[in-house]
Structures are given as C-alpha cells and as structure tokens.
Amino acid sequence: MMKKYKLGGTFLLQYDALMDARYQRLLKDLPAGTFEIGAWWELPQPLIEKAGLKWRGRYAWDWHADVGFSTGYTPQEREKIIDVYMADFKNIFGFYPKSVASWFIDAHSLNYMYEKYRIVASANCKDQYGTDGYTLWGGYWNQAYYPSKINSYMPAQNEKNQIPVPIFRMLGSDPVRQYDTGINFSRQGVITLEPVYPEAGGDANWVNWFLKEFVEGESMEFNYTQAGQENSFTWDAMKKGFEIQLPLLARLRDEKKVTVETMEKTGLWFKKNYKITPATSFTVNKDLENSDLKTVWFNSRYYRLNLLWEKGGLRVRDIHLFDEKFPSVYTTQKATSNECTFFTLPVVDGYLWSKPHQLAGLRFKAVINGKEELLEGGDPVISDIIPGRLKISWPLKAQKGTIQIDMNEKQTKITLVGAGALIWFLDLTTAGSFKLPFKAIGTRRLDAEFEDMKYGISTLQGTFSKPGGETVFRISPERNTIKLDLSNGN
C-alpha cells in the first residue's frame, strides 16, 4: 500500500526480526531513500543472551520494564547490548541505523548510541498512565524535544545539557480525549492514530477530523504525527485503518499540506532548524460532531500547558514544568519492578488530581452580583503569526470583555480587556484527598516539591492567595493582567 500511494516510511526492527532472513530479504529489496530501516529498542531473549547476559523473561519476548527494555539493565550491560545489535545490523545491511525508538529508551543508552553510532533521531511513546505497565506523564506533549543528559523524558533547557538527538512523540494522541480517558480506571485507554483502534485510527470520521485539525490548527513552528503500527497486532487488525489513512495522507501530501518522510530525514531536518527545543502547539478549533470541545496544547523547553473549552467555560487542564536537573533513576540504575514511571514537575494535573465527576483544573471565575461564578464565553480565536508566541482571544458572553492569553517559551500572560471593573481570578480545585506537591503559597511565588525536586512558579504580575474551602490556590490579576513565569528559574 505504501508503494501504491508512493508513501515512504521507516521500519524499525526488534532484534528477533532483524535476525530473521525473511525480514532481511523483504527490507533489502525496498528502495533506499524512500524507505528507512532502523532499530526498535525492545530487547528479546536472543539479543540478551548474545550479549552474554542471563535472560530473566517469562517468554522469549517479555514486555516487562525490567526485562524487555533498556531500563532493566545496568549502564554497562546496556552498552554491551547496543554493541551486539549494532554489529549485527551493520553486518546485515551494511550501515548503522540512524533512527532508534521504543516505548522508552533511557538517557545513558541514547547518549551512547549517539556518541558511538551517531544516531540522528529517536522516538518514545505518547503520554500515558499505566498502559502495559508504563507511565510517561507530564512531558513535551507532541512534536519533538531534545532530552536532558540525565533524564531522557525531560526536555533540556540548555544546549550543553542536552543529548543532541530529537525525541519524537509517537502514535498521534487524540488532543481532546486521550489525556483524561480512564479517570474511572487504574489504567488509561488508548485513543490514537494507530490503525488497530476501531474508534480512533480505524474510524474514518475520527481520522478525517484528526488530520484536518492537525493540518489546519495553529502549531507555531511545525506540527508532527506518526502514522503506523507495531506489526505484532497483525495485518487483519490494522488493514481497515491503513486503508482509511494512507490514501488520505497521500492526498494531503499532493495538496502540499503535509510532508511524509522517514524518521531519519525528520530528525536531520529538526537538528538543522533547531539547536534547542522550540515552542510548538497542537490546536483543535473544532471537535468531532456533536461536541463543542476545543483545546490547545502548548509546549516549550520550559513547560507545557493545556487549555480546554467546554460548554462555554475554559479550564487550564494541565501545567507541568521541565527542568534538566531533575534526574531519572533509570539513567544510572536498573529497574527492579516490572513497571516504570517517568514524570515531570506538576503544577496543574487534570488527570491525576481528578475523579470522574470532579475534574481538577484552573478555572476562570469572577464575582458577579456578589457571588463567585464561572466565566462563560464564545469560541476562541487562536493565532501563531508572531514567531515564538501563541495568542488566544476568548470573547466573554455576559461581561462583553475578552480574555487574552499570550504564551511564549518562558511565560504565560492572561489579560482581561473591555469588561470594565470586573473582579476576576483563576482558582485551582482538585477532587480532594490527593497528595499535592505545594509546600508554600506566597504572594508572588508558589513553591512545590515532587520526588525530592524543589520547584515553583512566580508571578511577574498578579498575586497568589489561599482563599480556603475547596480552592487550593487563587491567582488574582493586577491591572487586569496575570503574568506567570513558568521557567522555574532556568
């Protein structure tokens, strides 16, 4: 099908597939340049034993984090495993792979692959909580980032502290629904572009909607998604989804609305254009039929922020800060559990701090007729015309004013214009009973601690307070403006 629609792509080989003569024959016959062959970094029994290590898995391929992934091995063992894979790959194909991806690859392995074998691109899983025993939560939400040398899930703030290999986020998450699907359960569901999911990547309505918003939404520098699938799902499960997606991708390519290319080529493009991680966004201006939801994901090397519009209201659903000094234990030590967790620094978490009918978030409120009420508005207008800035205008209904939100890589500024002397503010509420990271709420600074890392946010304009009741903290404007420094002092 890829040949039929003249769509190139990347095939990443797990070691047992790499060593299978059938895959070797199949892939060697593909035209170089159009198709790329790289490495999929899950570690099956033949690779571990060839590296001289004892296999601890339940099966010849075991998805547990302490067995089937690099996190399950010491840094020295990881280097041995990499060397064995790379030697066999070069012996078969005549070159070293330029792209290496997996649900997750630790920073030590990535840096070793870069320094010794000069890989140019990597990818990890979308944000997820608990799926298959893997939690990646709070990271650079889409597109790509340069990781910290001590934590490959954490975007670096400075060139000297980053691994110079962009990590792309896989699978094409639903920007509206993926984030908080599964609040009722201990593990999340999956709503992605993957062709095997009948209500998402295997559904024509969803695919057309997703790619329309992907192409037309404001993305600042660039937007990115990965269309593809693990072949362990087998062809019958993914056939329908690919038959929907591939002709649509080919048409969008022909219309010059998307570029379809190999991961290596995208990695080289990213490295040529960005010395440090850029600010990007993923915007949904119109949701699926019978839904009024709209969302904006903003990402920079310092923080991510998510806005969600629903039934006339606006909620800041998520804010996480990034800090290259926040280490991952898996960089230097091997995992001792069959599950792995990777986090950044939470300020607002609309998933983990929520319950099904009590969703956490920062909400826009005002005092109206002596009572605190949620502000209501119309459809937002979003612009990325000014480089490095995302501007949002949200017209209010009853108050006749407009909330203007201006985000750049370090700061978010919120201003109310044209509404007279309205008393307005943002309140953070959660579903209660959750352990929150906040240690001190001062007038100008909110101090927090998570996994022994101290961090915080400051106001350059506006004040923090603790009004009591269910409100964790309140942010009030000065001269109708709130200006937050979200760079954590970096």
Side-chain angles (χ1 to χ4, degrees), residues 68-119:
F69 291 85
S70 60
T71 44
Y73 302 86
T74 67
Q76 293 72 31
E77 289 171 339
R78 294 170 202 171
E79 292 180 10
K80 283 184 187 176
I81 296 165
I82 292 165
D83 288 342
V84 167
Y85 184 101
M86 293 294 188
D88 281 340
F89 189 102
K90 188 174 185 184
N91 185 48
I92 292 162
F93 292 110
F95 56 88
Y96 292 125
K98 297 296 185 186
S99 300
V100 184
S102 168
W103 276 171
F104 191 81
I105 305 174
D106 68 279
H108 183 90
S109 294
L110 267 182
N111 206 42
Y112 184 75
M113 290 175 186
Y114 167 71
E115 290 185 342
K116 187 166 183 179
Y117 297 102
R118 311 316 283 182
I119 66 168

Side-chain angles (χ1 to χ4, degrees), residues 134-201:
Y134 265 78
T135 292
L136 296 94
W137 196 251
Y140 195 103
W141 187 81
N142 193 52
Q143 282 100 323
Y145 65 95
Y146 288 116
S148 161
K149 286 181 178 177
I150 61 171
N151 185 342
S152 53
Y153 184 59
M154 180 70 74
Q157 286 73 57
N158 298 285
E159 191 173 358
K160 69 178 186 296
N161 295 324
Q162 71 189 19
I163 301 171
V165 175
I167 296 180
F168 294 87
R169 303 308 302 270
M170 290 191 289
L171 306 183
S173 279
D174 183 316
V176 176
R177 280 159 286 275
Q178 176 62 54
Y179 177 81
D180 48 17
T181 183
I183 282 179
N184 294 325
F185 308 101
S186 61
R187 299 182 187 278
Q188 280 194 310
V190 180
I191 310 173
T192 70
L193 193 58
E194 293 169 272
V196 298
Y197 291 105
E199 295 179 356

Side-chain angles (χ1 to χ4, degrees), residues 9 16 24 29 70 73 81 110 112-113 210 214 242 257 261 277 293 300 304 329 339 353 392 406 412 423 467 471 485:
D16 43 0
Q24 294 171 18
D29 286 342
S70 60
Y73 302 86
I81 296 165
L110 267 182
Y112 184 75
M113 290 175 186
F210 176 85
F214 170 77
F242 273 126
K257 291 179 178 176
E261 60 190 16
T277 300
L293 297 174
S300 78
R304 80 175 193 185
V329 65
E339 301 201 356
W353 301 348
I392 300 163
D406 189 342
T412 290
I423 299 170
T471 302
D485 178 357

Side-chain angles (χ1 to χ4, degrees), residues 22-62:
R22 295 170 298 172
Y23 283 110
Q24 294 171 18
R25 285 193 298 273
L26 176 70
L27 297 175
K28 280 180 177 180
D29 286 342
L30 296 175
T34 305
F35 292 95
E36 176 194 8
I37 306 161
W40 181 252
W41 210 243
E42 294 188 40
L43 313 178
Q45 184 173 359
L47 175 58
I48 298 305
E49 290 181 343
K50 190 163 183 183
L53 304 173
K54 179 176 170 49
W55 177 246
R56 295 175 278 109
R58 300 163 298 166
Y59 326 104
W61 168 77
D62 190 333

